[in-house]
Amino acid sequence: MKTEEELRTEYRRQRQELEEQAEDIYRFQKKGEEIAQQTYEAILYQIRQREEDCTNILEMARREIEQLETNYQVDLQEKKREVRQKTEHVEEQFHKGLQQVERNK
């Protein structure tokens, strides 16, 4: 059986790992948003360089980017949910361990 200090140390380590995962997801999300904006601006720039009317092309590109962003956001939300569930599990296990330590005193 683990001691209270061992439980606390393990809990802090697991929480730190999960917080780092959450931060990685946030940075990944921001980078994706930045790339999407840069892509849209690059497409817009290229279209404006042409003499012809490219409204349809621009609209199609915008829809494609929006769909990619939606898929990207759905995937990120799933990863965030997984991290939240892992965090809840770690919390639960930590409290159960503490209760067990208290009962065995």
Side-chain angles (χ1 to χ4, degrees):
M1 168 163 270
K2 294 182 181 181
T3 66
E4 184 175 341
E5 187 56 37
E6 289 172 328
L7 286 171
R8 289 185 187 284
T9 299
E10 183 177 334
Y11 169 73
R12 283 191 291 270
R13 181 190 58 75
Q14 289 175 334
R15 282 299 302 254
Q16 180 65 32
E17 288 176 6
L18 291 168
E19 287 172 9
E20 289 172 5
Q21 287 178 18
E23 288 174 19
D24 289 345
I25 291 169
Y26 177 78
R27 282 192 299 275
F28 190 74
Q29 178 179 8
K30 290 300 172 191
K31 185 65 176 173
E33 290 169 357
E34 179 183 312
I35 290 170
Q37 184 62 34
Q38 289 172 351
T39 302
Y40 184 72
E41 289 171 5
I43 291 169
L44 188 58
Y45 175 79
Q46 291 297 322
I47 289 174
R48 287 184 177 158
Q49 297 302 310
R50 298 174 182 228
E51 295 290 322
E52 61 201 66
D53 179 23
C54 297
T55 305
N56 291 338
I57 295 170
L58 181 59
E59 184 60 27
M60 184 178 71
R62 185 189 61 75
R63 282 193 309 270
E64 285 293 320
I65 290 172
E66 285 177 354
Q67 184 60 48
L68 290 171
E69 285 178 318
T70 298
N71 295 345
Y72 180 75
Q73 291 299 329
V74 167
D75 290 344
L76 284 175
Q77 291 304 319
E78 177 62 23
K79 293 296 181 193
K80 288 177 184 179
R81 187 186 64 74
E82 288 173 12
V83 169
R84 266 193 317 275
Q85 285 179 331
K86 288 177 185 177
T87 301
E88 290 169 3
H89 179 73
V90 165
E91 293 277 340
E92 183 180 311
Q93 293 304 111
F94 173 66
H95 290 295
K96 283 181 181 179
L98 284 180
Q99 289 172 351
Q100 187 67 33
V101 167
E102 287 298 316
R103 277 181 268 192
N104 291 336
K105 283 187 178 180

